[in-house]
Amino acid sequence: MAQEDVFKKVVSHCKEYGFVFPSSDIYDGLGAVYDYGQNGVELKNNIKQYWWQSMVLMHENIVGIDSAIFMHPTIWKASGHLDAFNDPLIDNRDSKKRYRADVLIEEQIAKYEDKIEKEVAKARKRFGDSFDEQKYRETSQKVAEEQARRDALHERYSKAMNAMNLEELRQIILDEAIVCPISGTRNWTEVRQFNLMFKTEMGSTADGASTIYLRPETAQGIFVNYLNVQKTGRMKIPFGIAQIGKAFRNEIVARQFIFRMREFEQMEMQFFIKPGTELDWFRTWKEKRMAWHQNLGFGAENYRFHDHEKLAHYANAATDIEFRMPFGFKEVEGIHSRTNFDLSQHEKYSGKQIKYFDPEQGESYTPYVIETSIGVDRMFLSVMCHSYCEEQLEGGDTRVVLRLPAALAPVKLAVMPLIKKDGLPEKAREIIDDLKFHFNCQYDEKDSIGKRYRRQDAIGTPYCVTVDHQSIEDNTVTIRMRDTMEQQRVEISQLRGIIEDNVTITSLLKKLK
Ligand code: ATP
């Protein structure tokens, strides 16, 4: 199936099976805001648990917090968001569509890269087994030309972004002859800065309401609680603070479903360390976070690091973990070495001392920070895209199956009486009453068994159990596995053991190195 089709199918599957709905659906939706349905919320909670437990349970020196969304407005001055959390936007006068200037240019860079990869792929096909890829890349005239164009553009772009030179960004778009994908024209406006924070007011106007912001990242809630947690938890450096929570960004171009939303959720961990050790810890966290992703079993070839060349003003090293989405490799998580920028800024703006006294060295310092920051919704999307599968069955039938990692699946077990009488429903309910304390079970008696299996396949339920007349006599049932569709007769008393080991978050965590 073409990758574009996969994406379209995932989007409609999410709606049809209660994973994700457009927000305010009966009012025709709200741009780039989505709601999670009955199955979506379970999957999302499982992703969050996998992350939370891998951070907080698996590390003695990481604790969690839950800070408020509303924060003192000066925080955003100190963090730099008020002055610098901007995207450069540009409009096409003909289509009236708005774009991010940086994204238009990055897509152009990606086009050159694609051309190179296509050349290499063509040569690979032509030369077969004797193909020496490295040599080809070094010697091909065409590859060299494309590479030179790509590098020149990249350099010009990086310079313009670092200096936030808006005129130059526009000039690049004109020089590269980038057209609007809708109108096909180059009738571009000037490039303008656009701040991504949402504003609101706190207090009634009569007592002098103050402007406050919906947080655009959860990280600042951690920084401003550094002293509270360090003191009350008697934390010793190195230590981390983890948090899961909503963040809000007034994204200029919100496309691609839940990939880029205006209200989304982040899972962030700030790891406080001694100055000078940051590059070692940066490497450690890069490895740990990649292992966390790959532990889901989606294949190492679907992930890559993208090291940043243009570093944010606060960072001295940064990388993204990218996942192969149906629309290309895309950032799912960012790992940043943020130096002591945030704590020093809060020290300056709040007037409070934010230091760590190292008892072994007998000295105080402002800790450095390594941040790992992952979007729950992007993670959700990557899991859905990778798990969605249409299978051709014998006899010409097809089935849609979500091959979710069992530990993330919304429902772990469906229990189905073969027919709605002869005591079979009661027996099925008995099984659920016993197992519902251990994992999420669903009872289903409607339609044929075949249809019921398909429904469960479509939401990724790893196990289905059928209760038949024999079950009443000898307390055995048929258990069916989602992926292989294999069926086995087992005793009811064995069910918990068979299922539980494979469906818990603990089972995932135990595989994590
Ligand atoms: P992008 O370049 O795609 O806008 P970013 O580099 O600004 O992302 P960060 O500020 O590093 O993103 O945020 C950390 C993580 O939060 C991202 O890796 C992503 O998973 C998630 N995230 C950021 N913005 C959004 C959004 N608008 N919708 C959904 N998730 C988001």
Coordinates of all heavy atoms in Angstrom, one line a residue, residues 419-467:
I419 N -22.9 -18.4 21.8 CA -24.2 -18.0 21.5 C -24.7 -17.3 22.8 O -24.1 -17.4 23.9 CB -25.2 -19.1 21.2 CG1 -25.0 -20.3 22.2 CG2 -24.9 -19.6 19.7 CD1 -26.0 -21.4 22.0
K420 N -25.9 -16.6 22.7 CA -26.4 -15.8 23.8 C -27.3 -16.6 24.7 O -28.2 -16.0 25.3 CB -27.2 -14.6 23.2 CG -26.3 -13.5 22.8 CD -27.1 -12.2 22.6 CE -27.3 -12.0 21.1 NZ -28.0 -10.8 20.7
K421 N -27.1 -17.9 24.8 CA -28.0 -18.6 25.8 C -27.3 -19.8 26.3 O -26.0 -19.9 26.2 CB -29.3 -19.1 25.0 CG -29.1 -19.8 23.8 CD -30.4 -20.1 23.1 CE -30.1 -21.0 21.9 NZ -31.1 -21.3 21.0
D422 N -28.0 -20.7 27.0 CA -27.4 -22.0 27.6 C -26.4 -21.7 28.6 O -25.5 -22.5 28.8 CB -26.8 -22.9 26.5 CG -27.8 -23.2 25.4 OD1 -29.0 -23.1 25.7 OD2 -27.4 -23.6 24.3
G423 N -26.4 -20.6 29.3 CA -25.5 -20.3 30.4 C -24.1 -19.8 29.9 O -23.2 -19.5 30.7
L424 N -24.0 -19.7 28.5 CA -22.6 -19.2 28.0 C -22.3 -17.8 28.4 O -21.2 -17.5 28.8 CB -22.5 -19.5 26.5 CG -22.8 -20.9 26.0 CD1 -22.4 -21.0 24.5 CD2 -22.0 -21.9 26.8
P425 N -23.3 -16.8 28.2 CA -23.0 -15.5 28.6 C -22.6 -15.4 30.1 O -21.6 -14.7 30.5 CB -24.3 -14.7 28.4 CG -25.0 -15.5 27.3 CD -24.6 -16.9 27.6
E426 N -23.3 -16.2 31.0 CA -22.9 -16.1 32.4 C -21.5 -16.6 32.6 O -20.7 -16.0 33.4 CB -23.9 -17.0 33.2 CG -25.3 -16.4 33.3 CD -26.2 -16.6 32.0 OE1 -25.7 -17.3 31.1 OE2 -27.3 -16.0 31.9
K427 N -21.1 -17.7 31.9 CA -19.8 -18.2 32.1 C -18.7 -17.2 31.6 O -17.7 -17.0 32.3 CB -19.7 -19.5 31.2 CG -18.4 -20.3 31.5 CD -18.6 -21.1 32.7 CE -17.3 -21.8 33.1 NZ -17.4 -22.4 34.4
A428 N -19.1 -16.5 30.5 CA -18.1 -15.5 30.0 C -18.0 -14.4 31.0 O -16.9 -13.9 31.3 CB -18.7 -14.9 28.7
R429 N -19.1 -13.9 31.6 CA -19.0 -12.9 32.6 C -18.2 -13.3 33.8 O -17.5 -12.4 34.4 CB -20.4 -12.5 33.1 CG -21.3 -11.9 32.0 CD -21.4 -10.4 32.2 NE -22.3 -9.8 31.2 CZ -21.9 -8.8 30.4 NH1 -20.8 -8.2 30.6 NH2 -22.8 -8.3 29.5
E430 N -18.3 -14.6 34.2 CA -17.5 -15.1 35.3 C -16.0 -14.9 35.0 O -15.3 -14.5 35.9 CB -17.8 -16.6 35.5 CG -18.5 -17.0 36.7 CD -18.8 -18.5 36.6 OE1 -17.8 -19.3 36.4 OE2 -20.0 -18.9 36.7
I431 N -15.6 -15.2 33.8 CA -14.2 -15.1 33.4 C -13.8 -13.6 33.6 O -12.7 -13.3 34.1 CB -14.0 -15.6 32.0 CG1 -14.3 -17.1 31.9 CG2 -12.6 -15.3 31.5 CD1 -14.2 -17.7 30.6
I432 N -14.6 -12.7 33.0 CA -14.3 -11.3 33.1 C -14.2 -10.8 34.5 O -13.3 -10.1 34.9 CB -15.3 -10.5 32.3 CG1 -15.1 -10.8 30.8 CG2 -15.1 -9.0 32.6 CD1 -15.8 -9.9 29.9
D433 N -15.2 -11.2 35.3 CA -15.2 -10.8 36.7 C -13.9 -11.2 37.5 O -13.5 -10.5 38.4 CB -16.4 -11.4 37.5 CG -17.7 -10.6 37.1 OD1 -17.5 -9.4 36.6 OD2 -18.8 -11.1 37.3
D434 N -13.3 -12.3 37.0 CA -12.1 -12.7 37.7 C -10.9 -12.0 37.1 O -10.0 -11.6 37.9 CB -12.0 -14.2 37.4 CG -10.8 -14.8 38.1 OD1 -10.4 -14.3 39.2 OD2 -10.1 -15.7 37.5
L435 N -10.9 -11.7 35.8 CA -9.7 -11.2 35.2 C -9.7 -9.6 35.1 O -8.6 -9.0 34.9 CB -9.5 -11.7 33.8 CG -9.3 -13.2 33.7 CD1 -9.1 -13.7 32.3 CD2 -8.0 -13.6 34.5
K436 N -10.8 -9.0 35.3 CA -10.8 -7.5 35.2 C -10.0 -6.8 36.2 O -9.7 -5.6 35.9 CB -12.3 -7.0 35.2 CG -12.9 -7.1 36.5 CD -14.4 -6.7 36.4 CE -15.1 -6.8 37.7 NZ -16.6 -6.7 37.6
F437 N -9.6 -7.4 37.2 CA -8.7 -6.7 38.2 C -7.3 -6.7 37.7 O -6.4 -5.9 38.2 CB -8.7 -7.5 39.5 CG -10.1 -7.5 40.1 CD1 -10.9 -8.6 40.1 CD2 -10.5 -6.3 40.8 CE1 -12.2 -8.6 40.6 CE2 -11.8 -6.3 41.4 CZ -12.6 -7.4 41.3
H438 N -7.0 -7.5 36.7 CA -5.6 -7.6 36.2 C -5.3 -6.9 34.9 O -4.2 -6.4 34.7 CB -5.2 -9.1 36.1 CG -5.5 -9.9 37.4 ND1 -4.9 -9.7 38.5 CD2 -6.5 -10.8 37.6 CE1 -5.4 -10.4 39.5 NE2 -6.4 -11.1 39.0
F439 N -6.3 -6.9 34.0 CA -6.1 -6.2 32.8 C -7.4 -5.8 32.2 O -8.5 -6.4 32.6 CB -5.2 -6.9 31.8 CG -5.4 -8.4 31.8 CD1 -6.5 -9.0 31.1 CD2 -4.5 -9.3 32.4 CE1 -6.7 -10.3 31.1 CE2 -4.7 -10.6 32.4 CZ -5.8 -11.2 31.7
N440 N -7.4 -5.0 31.2 CA -8.6 -4.5 30.6 C -9.3 -5.6 29.7 O -8.7 -6.0 28.7 CB -8.3 -3.2 29.7 CG -9.5 -2.4 29.4 OD1 -10.6 -2.7 29.8 ND2 -9.3 -1.3 28.7
C441 N -10.5 -6.0 30.1 CA -11.2 -7.0 29.4 C -12.5 -6.4 28.7 O -13.1 -5.4 29.2 CB -11.7 -8.1 30.3 SG -10.4 -8.8 31.3
Q442 N -13.0 -7.0 27.7 CA -14.2 -6.6 27.1 C -15.1 -7.8 26.8 O -14.6 -8.8 26.4 CB -13.9 -5.9 25.7 CG -14.9 -4.9 25.3 CD -14.4 -4.1 24.1 OE1 -14.3 -4.6 23.0 NE2 -14.1 -2.8 24.3
Y443 N -16.4 -7.6 27.1 CA -17.4 -8.6 26.8 C -18.0 -8.3 25.5 O -18.4 -7.2 25.2 CB -18.4 -8.6 27.9 CG -19.5 -9.6 27.7 CD1 -19.4 -10.9 28.0 CD2 -20.8 -9.1 27.2 CE1 -20.4 -11.8 27.9 CE2 -21.8 -10.0 27.0 CZ -21.6 -11.4 27.4 OH -22.6 -12.3 27.2
D444 N -18.2 -9.3 24.6 CA -18.8 -9.1 23.3 C -19.7 -10.3 22.9 O -19.1 -11.4 22.8 CB -17.8 -8.8 22.2 CG -18.4 -8.2 21.0 OD1 -19.7 -8.1 20.9 OD2 -17.7 -8.0 20.0
E445 N -21.0 -10.1 22.7 CA -21.8 -11.2 22.4 C -22.6 -11.0 21.1 O -23.4 -11.8 20.6 CB -22.8 -11.5 23.5 CG -23.8 -10.3 23.8 CD -24.9 -10.7 24.8 OE1 -24.7 -11.6 25.6 OE2 -25.9 -9.9 24.8
K446 N -22.4 -9.8 20.5 CA -23.2 -9.4 19.3 C -22.5 -9.9 18.0 O -21.3 -9.9 17.9 CB -23.3 -7.9 19.3 CG -24.5 -7.4 18.5 CD -24.7 -5.9 18.7 CE -25.7 -5.4 17.7 NZ -25.1 -5.2 16.4
D447 N -23.3 -10.3 17.0 CA -22.8 -10.8 15.7 C -22.1 -12.1 15.8 O -21.9 -12.7 16.9 CB -21.9 -9.8 15.0 CG -22.6 -8.4 14.9 OD1 -23.8 -8.4 14.5 OD2 -21.9 -7.4 15.1
S448 N -21.7 -12.6 14.6 CA -21.0 -13.9 14.5 C -19.6 -13.8 15.1 O -19.1 -12.7 15.3 CB -20.8 -14.3 13.0 OG -19.9 -13.4 12.5
I449 N -19.1 -15.0 15.5 CA -17.7 -14.9 16.1 C -16.7 -14.3 15.2 O -15.9 -13.5 15.6 CB -17.3 -16.4 16.4 CG1 -18.0 -16.9 17.7 CG2 -15.8 -16.5 16.6 CD1 -17.5 -16.2 19.0
G450 N -16.8 -14.6 13.9 CA -15.9 -14.0 12.9 C -15.9 -12.5 12.9 O -14.9 -11.9 12.9
K451 N -17.1 -12.0 12.9 CA -17.2 -10.5 13.0 C -16.6 -9.9 14.3 O -16.0 -8.9 14.3 CB -18.7 -10.1 12.9 CG -19.2 -9.9 11.5 CD -20.5 -9.1 11.4 CE -21.0 -9.1 10.0 NZ -22.5 -8.9 10.0
R452 N -16.9 -10.7 15.3 CA -16.4 -10.2 16.6 C -14.9 -10.2 16.6 O -14.2 -9.3 17.2 CB -16.9 -11.1 17.8 CG -18.4 -10.7 18.1 CD -18.9 -11.5 19.3 NE -19.7 -12.6 18.8 CZ -20.2 -13.6 19.6 NH1 -19.9 -13.6 20.9 NH2 -21.0 -14.6 19.2
Y453 N -14.3 -11.3 16.0 CA -12.8 -11.3 15.9 C -12.3 -10.1 15.2 O -11.3 -9.5 15.6 CB -12.3 -12.6 15.2 CG -12.4 -13.8 16.1 CD1 -12.4 -15.1 15.4 CD2 -12.3 -13.8 17.4 CE1 -12.4 -16.3 16.2 CE2 -12.3 -15.0 18.2 CZ -12.4 -16.2 17.6 OH -12.4 -17.4 18.3
R454 N -13.0 -9.8 14.0 CA -12.5 -8.7 13.2 C -12.5 -7.4 14.0 O -11.7 -6.5 13.9 CB -13.4 -8.5 12.0 CG -13.3 -9.6 11.0 CD -11.9 -9.6 10.2 NE -11.8 -10.7 9.4 CZ -11.4 -11.9 9.9 NH1 -11.0 -12.1 11.1 NH2 -11.3 -13.0 9.1
R455 N -13.6 -7.2 14.8 CA -13.7 -6.0 15.6 C -12.6 -5.8 16.5 O -12.0 -4.8 16.7 CB -15.0 -6.0 16.4 CG -16.2 -5.3 15.7 CD -17.2 -4.8 16.7 NE -17.9 -5.9 17.5 CZ -19.0 -6.6 17.0 NH1 -19.5 -6.3 15.9 NH2 -19.5 -7.5 17.8
Q456 N -12.2 -6.9 17.2 CA -11.1 -6.9 18.1 C -9.8 -6.7 17.4 O -8.9 -6.0 17.9 CB -11.1 -8.2 19.0 CG -12.3 -8.3 19.9 CD -12.5 -7.2 20.9 OE1 -11.6 -6.5 21.3 NE2 -13.8 -6.9 21.2
D457 N -9.6 -7.4 16.2 CA -8.4 -7.2 15.5 C -8.2 -5.7 15.1 O -7.1 -5.1 15.2 CB -8.5 -7.9 14.1 CG -8.4 -9.4 14.3 OD1 -7.9 -9.9 15.4 OD2 -8.7 -10.2 13.4
A458 N -9.3 -5.0 14.8 CA -9.3 -3.6 14.4 C -8.9 -2.7 15.5 O -8.4 -1.6 15.2 CB -10.6 -3.2 13.8
I459 N -9.0 -3.1 16.7 CA -8.6 -2.2 17.8 C -7.3 -2.8 18.5 O -6.8 -2.3 19.5 CB -9.7 -1.9 18.9 CG1 -10.2 -3.2 19.6 CG2 -10.9 -1.2 18.2 CD1 -11.0 -3.0 20.8
G460 N -6.8 -3.9 17.9 CA -5.5 -4.4 18.4 C -5.6 -5.3 19.6 O -4.5 -5.5 20.3
T461 N -6.7 -5.9 19.9 CA -6.8 -6.7 21.1 C -6.0 -8.0 20.9 O -6.3 -8.8 20.0 CB -8.3 -7.1 21.4 OG1 -9.0 -5.9 21.4 CG2 -8.5 -7.9 22.7
P462 N -5.0 -8.2 21.8 CA -4.1 -9.4 21.5 C -4.7 -10.8 21.7 O -4.3 -11.7 21.1 CB -2.9 -9.2 22.4 CG -3.3 -8.2 23.4 CD -4.5 -7.4 22.9
Y463 N -5.7 -10.9 22.6 CA -6.3 -12.2 22.8 C -7.8 -12.1 22.8 O -8.5 -11.2 23.3 CB -5.9 -12.7 24.2 CG -4.4 -12.8 24.4 CD1 -3.6 -11.9 25.0 CD2 -3.8 -14.0 23.9 CE1 -2.3 -12.0 25.1 CE2 -2.4 -14.1 24.0 CZ -1.7 -13.1 24.6 OH -0.3 -13.3 24.7
C464 N -8.4 -13.2 22.2 CA -9.9 -13.3 22.3 C -10.2 -14.7 22.9 O -9.5 -15.7 22.5 CB -10.5 -13.3 20.9 SG -10.5 -11.7 20.2
V465 N -11.2 -14.8 23.7 CA -11.5 -16.1 24.3 C -13.0 -16.4 23.9 O -13.8 -15.5 24.1 CB -11.3 -16.1 25.8 CG1 -12.2 -17.1 26.6 CG2 -9.9 -16.3 26.2
T466 N -13.2 -17.6 23.5 CA -14.6 -18.0 23.1 C -15.1 -19.1 24.1 O -14.4 -20.0 24.4 CB -14.6 -18.6 21.7 OG1 -14.0 -17.6 20.8 CG2 -16.1 -18.8 21.3
V467 N -16.2 -18.8 24.6 CA -16.9 -19.7 25.6 C -17.9 -20.5 24.8 O -18.8 -19.9 24.2 CB -17.5 -18.9 26.7 CG1 -18.2 -19.8 27.7 CG2 -16.5 -18.1 27.5

